[in-house]
Amino acid sequence: MLSTTERTRLNRAKHKARTDRTDLYDLLDAGSVCHLGVVVNGAPMVVPTGYGRIGDTLYLHGSTGARSLRAGGEVCVTVTLVDGLVLARSAFNHSLNHRSAMVYGVPRVVEDQEEALAAMRALTEQFAPGRWDEVRPPSAKELAATRVLALPLEEASVKVRTGPPSGDGADLELAVWAGVVPIRQVFGEPEPDPGLAPGTAVPEHVVRLSDPRP
């Protein structure tokens, strides 16, 4: 079960809350970009960044010079997946079908090289499962230039909205189309790097992204 704190408890639309920890894992594993919220020099900063998950830990990375990764203190990380436009009969009831997660915590800087490599693997696999085994691993110089943060998934909330638009009895009599327009993310055909050596085939793990059939 997910922890419940004053910051993660939904005060409105409580029926949208999900308390099963697997809902958090599934949402994080389905995404590719999170938004990292920090305070830098007394001002808020929100930075989109890649991430990876290993068990109950979320890993973030970037340049050692990145202000967002050097701020220290508590952070807030969010991930949102939009599943549909909810078009209601009234402007007030328009909404989005979505899944979202919010995580609070104080991340630690990963100093251990083995953990840093495991985090980099998780980050790479988040984008394309199977990719890590195909590519050159980070060099010692590249690792030294990379700052990796480990954020425990202890204080987190998950919110999910599904279904058709809401509206009262008067709205239902309006001659206005209402419903849901689904949104789906799909991968297109891989576009090769112009610098590829002739005859370099598209690897199977990349093919699976655009054609995920077993």
Side-chain angles (χ1 to χ4, degrees), residues 4 8 18 28 55 59 68 70 75 77 88 97-98 112 114 120-121 129-130 132-133 147 158-159 169 174 180 186:
T4 301
T8 60
R18 299 293 184 271
L28 294 176
Y59 288 97
S68 59
R70 298 184 62 85
V75 304
V77 172
N97 279 345
H98 71 282
D112 180 77
E114 287 190 11
M120 295 296 290
R121 180 185 185 114
W132 181 263
D133 293 332
R147 190 177 185 88
V158 175
K159 182 178 179 181
L174 295 175
V180 176
V186 297

Side-chain angles (χ1 to χ4, degrees), residues 32-36 47-51 60-62 69 123 127:
S32 56
V33 176
C34 71
H35 285 83
L36 169 64
V47 182
T49 185
Y51 66 88
L60 313 168
H61 83 301
L69 301 183
L123 285 152
F127 290 117

Side-chain angles (χ1 to χ4, degrees), residues 26-206:
D26 290 345
L27 193 160
L28 294 176
D29 293 348
S32 56
V33 176
C34 71
H35 285 83
L36 169 64
V38 299
V39 176
V40 178
N41 296 327
M45 173 185 288
V46 179
V47 182
T49 185
Y51 66 88
R53 180 182 71 88
I54 301 178
D56 286 331
T57 302
L58 195 70
Y59 288 97
L60 313 168
H61 83 301
S63 166
T64 54
R67 292 182 297 166
S68 59
L69 301 183
R70 298 184 62 85
E74 194 169 46
V75 304
C76 179
V77 172
T78 63
V79 175
T80 301
L81 305 178
V82 181
D83 298 317
L85 303 177
V86 181
L87 307 180
R89 295 170 179 82
S90 67
F92 180 81
N93 286 318
H94 278 62
S95 186
L96 294 170
N97 279 345
H98 71 282
R99 294 161 284 160
S100 62
M102 180 178 293
V103 183
Y104 289 98
V106 178
R108 62 178 171 84
V109 179
V110 175
E111 304 286 0
D112 180 77
Q113 183 166 328
E114 287 190 11
E115 184 182 7
L117 279 172
M120 295 296 290
R121 180 185 185 114
L123 285 152
T124 303
E125 293 287 291
Q126 187 76 20
F127 290 117
R131 188 65 178 167
W132 181 263
D133 293 332
E134 295 277 340
V135 301
R136 174 182 65 77
S139 66
K141 182 178 180 181
E142 290 168 337
L143 281 176
T146 303
R147 190 177 185 88
V148 179
L149 299 183
L151 179 64
L153 296 173
E154 294 177 357
E155 187 179 2
S157 64
V158 175
K159 182 178 179 181
V160 177
R161 199 248 186 241
T162 61
S166 58
D168 58 28
D171 283 348
L172 296 178
E173 297 178 4
L174 295 175
V176 177
W177 187 91
V180 176
V181 181
I183 297 175
R184 301 184 181 91
Q185 177 175 279
V186 297
F187 293 96
E189 289 296 318
E191 300 176 359
D193 181 346
L196 279 178
T200 303
V202 179
E204 182 61 29
H205 72 274
V206 176

